[in-house]
Amino acid sequence: MLAFSPYISSFIDQIIVSIPYFKPELTLIITFIGTIIASLFVDKYWDKASFTITIAGLLLSGCYLLGQGLSHVEMVGFFDMIHIDTFATSARVIILLSTLLITIFIQQRYQHDRPLGDLYAVVLTATLGLNLLTMSSNWLMIFIAVETVSISSYIMVGYFSSNKVQSEAAMKYVLFGSICAAVMLYGLSLLYGFTGNLNFDAPSHIAGLMEAPRLMISIALLFLLTGIGFKLSFFPFHVWSPDVYQGAPTVITTYLATVPKIAVVVLLSKLLAAWLAVSFYFSDFLAYVIIIIAIATMLIGNLAALRQQDAKRMMAYSSIGHTGILLMAVLVYQNNESNVLLFYLSIYALMNIAVFIFIDSLEVSLGNTSIDSYKGLGKQSPLLFTSFSIVLIALIGLPPTAGFVGKLLIFSKVFEQYQNFQSFGLLALLIVGALTSVISLFYYFKIPLNAFLRDNVDHYSVKSNPLLLGIGLFCTIAVILLGLFPDILLSLF
Amino acid sequence: MITLTHFLVVSACIFCIGLYTVLSKKNAIMILVGIELMINAAILNFVAFGKYDKVSYGGQIFALFAIVLAAAAVAVGLALVLNVYRHYKTINPDEINELKDK
């Protein structure tokens, strides 16, 4: 301890210098505390207090982020713990905007049911963890961020626990998630042992990985992928996601399906860009494992979705399939070429938020999420089902929607890489990716098929919340517009 | 003389015991105990490796944070298990299977 005392003042100086880089996250932390206080003391008098504070905090954090984004400077702070570059800033803007939409979704959906102040607070901590995940290249920081996101997500899934299914989903989620986190921690301890350094892009870290014994480094990397795989829900760690997506309240499912994936994809692409730059046993091993995982994820997600009768469960498998495509994009990601990945992530968020808003408004009216119950509803609520069908077309990846542009950009990037390296793995990825897009046609079209072409004897009236329907329509229009003019978004990143 | 290898062997054994507990026990609380064993194995590794990292003490710091995070995750886990018990009157994960592929 005495050895450190001469340096303490310089440490404190560096921390003070780093604080301005951390403004968006500090805003989230202060908002978190404000929301808790408001939910304890102010919500009794004005029931929208915690919601208003949450929205204001998210907007303020967004303003600071825009400031960082416009300055285009790479910043390193807190002793290399956070690295802020344009990739991280754009990803954080997408995370923040999606969180904003989902917060409004939560408020509109449960406004008359029960106090929600704590739920907003937990959403804010999850967002804080995701922000940290996009910025850091230090394993300690990453582990803390992953656990922050995980613990907040467990609470979100179990928050209502109003029936059997919701509590079951929460318990499965927490058990599976904690096991994956523990395995990842063991993998991280092995990596630390090989390298003596916790920064994954530091030269000494990569040098240590090159010299590590082959068997041990393979085990350590597989253990590491367990934790990342749980958050991304790729094969073989996808088994929790259909149960949790189906069991959790639809608003929470929306959050789980969109936002965490954005941050973890950013982390994984930074990791692979740092490690695959060298060609040694560990990087080749990692590349092959990721290729195999991506192929298996696309096949399993899309084939299992064919058999589903429940819209939320089907969307869970569909998002597993999309994870496979994101893994393809992650594999060919190189530094400073993040626009393809960010484009796909932002339209992925738009499409998922729209689909879950539509599923939720149908769930409110029908009382369940089974696809069979959508029979004949297309004529009664044409606006909802037309936009629902458009978003599903975007999820398949058909023109003229943004889903097509996103897939096209990723596929052409992979093909470019294939022409450069002639690697068989990349060709297999392309073939499986194209094939599974065709398969996905069959299960997504079940919804418009039931809604428009089949008749129903019972007549329900679908009443939608106008603001939520507005958000859904906005996302749908954005998906079409970005399909016609992708440059609007691509030029921003 | 206790060397690094001894620590690593012990931690590997603890990790395997934890993994076995997680996979075999029919009680959600015992699964949480198994998870705790796995995390402690990793923490032991970190502290053992941290001996060689006198510059930044990364391993020791990581161990401290991991202990705190594990406690937080287990606290949430126990609360959710209690919730399941209220609805199902059992905490055997094999019997809690309303959500599955049909």
Side-chain angles (χ1 to χ4, degrees):
Chain A
M1 192 61 222
L2 281 176
F4 281 119
S5 37
Y7 307 110
I8 286 179
S9 62
S10 72
F11 285 172
I12 293 176
D13 282 345
Q14 198 182 344
I15 291 173
I16 292 172
V17 169
S18 314
I19 285 176
Y21 308 153
F22 206 56
K23 265 186 195 162
E25 285 70 35
L26 274 181
T27 318
L28 287 179
I29 295 171
I30 294 167
T31 319
F32 166 69
I33 298 169
T35 310
I36 289 186
I37 293 173
S39 79
L40 282 176
F41 302 113
V42 192
D43 271 359
K44 275 176 273 182
Y45 310 107
W46 182 44
D47 61 354
K48 285 196 173 65
S50 47
F51 173 70
T52 316
I53 291 179
T54 310
I55 294 288
L58 286 172
L59 287 176
L60 188 64
S61 171
C63 293
Y64 285 130
L65 264 183
L66 284 184
Q68 281 187 359
L70 293 176
S71 62
H72 285 291
V73 202
E74 293 211 2
M75 293 179 262
V76 179
F78 295 111
F79 309 97
D80 270 3
M81 283 283 182
I82 59 172
H83 278 245
I84 299 173
D85 47 15
T86 45
F87 186 26
T89 311
S90 319
R92 282 184 294 161
V93 171
I94 303 173
I95 290 172
L96 216 61
L97 288 178
S98 323
T99 312
L100 197 69
L101 286 182
I102 293 167
T103 315
I104 299 173
F105 188 11
I106 295 175
Q107 198 266 344
Q108 288 296 316
R109 179 66 167 76
Y110 291 105
Q111 50 189 343
H112 306 300
D113 286 11
R114 53 181 293 168
L116 289 168
D118 302 333
L119 188 58
Y120 298 133
V122 174
V123 169
L124 286 170
T125 45
T127 312
L128 172 70
L130 294 169
N131 274 0
L132 289 176
L133 212 51
T134 58
M135 301 192 295
S136 80
S137 56
N138 184 295
W139 285 125
L140 174 57
M141 203 69 205
I142 291 168
F143 186 72
I144 295 173
V146 166
E147 281 290 87
T148 313
V149 179
S150 296
I151 294 174
S152 316
S153 321
Y154 306 150
I155 299 175
M156 279 156 76
V157 173
Y159 186 79
F160 296 102
S161 287
S162 48
N163 55 36
K164 270 185 147 182
V165 180
Q166 283 181 7
S167 61
E168 177 184 345
M171 192 189 80
K172 282 184 171 168
Y173 193 33
V174 74
L175 290 181
F176 203 85
S178 306
I179 295 167
C180 287
V183 174
M184 179 185 175
L185 187 66
Y186 197 82
L188 288 182
S189 76
L190 292 178
L191 287 183
Y192 176 64
F194 295 141
T195 60
N197 187 316
L198 286 169
N199 259 14
F200 68 69
D201 53 2
S204 68
H205 192 90
I206 294 174
L209 294 176
M210 289 172 188
E211 288 160 13
R214 290 192 167 190
L215 179 65
M216 288 312 286
I217 190 79
S218 315
I219 292 176
L221 289 177
L222 289 179
F223 278 11
L224 173 67
L225 283 181
T226 309
I228 295 177
F230 165 72
K231 291 259 69 135
L232 269 183
S233 71
F234 59 54
F235 174 83
F237 307 107
H238 66 282
V239 284
W240 62 274
S241 75
D243 288 354
V244 173
Y245 283 26
Q246 189 188 354
T250 311
V251 282
I252 307 299
T253 310
T254 320
Y255 192 86
L256 295 181
T258 49
V259 196
K261 286 202 177 170
I262 300 172
V264 183
V265 161
V266 171
L267 167 71
L268 192 61
S269 42
K270 280 186 174 176
L271 178 69
L272 291 185
W275 283 5
L276 299 188
V278 292
S279 179
F280 275 87
Y281 171 75
F282 84 93
S283 52
D284 291 345
F285 176 78
L286 195 62
Y288 280 116
V289 170
I290 296 273
I291 288 177
I292 293 168
I293 286 175
I295 290 175
T297 310
M298 283 191 275
L299 282 175
I300 298 232
N302 285 301
L303 289 176
L306 284 173
R307 291 170 40 232
Q308 302 309 321
Q309 295 302 320
D310 182 281
K312 273 159 87 181
R313 211 175 170 85
M314 191 196 87
M315 280 309 297
Y317 280 110
S318 126
S319 91
I320 294 171
H322 279 274
T323 303
I325 293 185
L326 279 170
L327 282 179
M328 254 164 94
V330 165
L331 204 62
V332 294
Y333 164 78
Q334 277 144 345
N335 281 327
N336 308 322
E337 283 184 29
S338 52
N339 54 0
V340 172
L341 202 52
L342 286 169
F343 182 81
Y344 198 81
L345 285 173
S346 36
I347 55 161
Y348 174 78
L350 276 179
M351 295 186 296
N352 267 288
I353 291 175
V355 164
F356 281 112
I357 283 179
F358 296 139
I359 290 180
D360 185 65
S361 13
L362 291 165
E363 190 184 356
V364 171
S365 318
L366 305 175
N368 65 55
T369 51
S370 121
I371 296 176
D372 278 343
S373 62
Y374 297 168
K375 272 180 190 163
L377 288 179
K379 287 167 197 123
Q380 291 179 28
S381 37
L383 184 64
L384 192 153
F385 271 100
T386 312
S387 29
F388 201 166
S389 310
I390 291 172
V391 180
L392 291 175
I393 289 172
L395 279 167
I396 300 166
L398 292 179
T401 57
F404 169 72
V405 182
K407 273 192 182 170
L408 182 72
L409 287 170
I410 288 179
F411 280 31
S412 51
K413 199 93 183 247
V414 176
F415 188 67
E416 210 175 279
Q417 286 268 321
Y418 168 68
Q419 284 183 321
N420 290 341
F421 297 108
Q422 299 292 329
S423 143
F424 174 72
L426 291 176
L427 185 67
L429 271 180
L430 278 174
I431 294 170
V432 174
L435 208 67
T436 49
S437 297
V438 179
I439 296 174
S440 70
L441 199 78
F442 292 97
Y443 61 85
Y444 285 126
F445 268 177
K446 261 200 274 187
I447 290 174
L449 176 77
N450 270 324
F452 289 112
L453 300 179
R454 299 220 168 115
D455 280 324
N456 192 1
V457 275
D458 309 330
H459 283 286
Y460 300 96
S461 60
V462 178
K463 277 178 285 179
S464 322
N465 178 322
L467 181 61
L468 286 184
L469 195 64
I471 295 177
L473 286 179
F474 164 76
C475 293
T476 315
I477 293 168
V479 163
I480 298 177
L481 270 183
L482 291 175
L484 297 174
F485 312 104
D487 281 343
I488 304 173
L489 199 57
L490 279 173
S491 58
L492 287 180
F493 300 134
Chain B
M1 175 67 190
I2 299 177
T3 61
L4 180 66
T5 319
H6 292 89
F7 283 109
L8 296 187
V9 170
V10 169
S11 93
C13 290
I14 297 177
F15 184 80
C16 293
I17 295 170
L19 197 61
Y20 176 75
T21 315
V22 162
L23 295 176
S24 65
K25 289 292 173 190
K26 300 259 177 272
N27 182 323
I29 308 251
M30 289 311 282
I31 294 178
L32 284 175
V33 172
I35 293 167
E36 198 69 6
L37 281 177
M38 288 160 81
I39 292 174
N40 283 326
I43 291 171
L44 186 59
N45 258 356
F46 269 117
V47 177
F49 288 133
K51 191 188 164 199
Y52 300 94
D53 183 14
K54 284 273 163 59
V55 190
S56 56
Y57 286 103
Q60 316 260 352
I61 305 279
F62 210 130
L64 284 176
F65 274 99
I67 292 168
V68 174
L69 289 170
V74 167
V76 172
L78 282 175
L80 295 175
V81 170
L82 187 68
N83 237 327
V84 164
Y85 183 75
R86 286 212 184 106
H87 287 291
Y88 286 83
K89 298 294 167 209
T90 173
I91 48 172
N92 180 353
D94 292 345
E95 290 171 22
I96 302 169
N97 53 5
E98 297 230 325
L99 292 167
K100 59 184 174 204
D101 275 323
K102 295 200 174 73

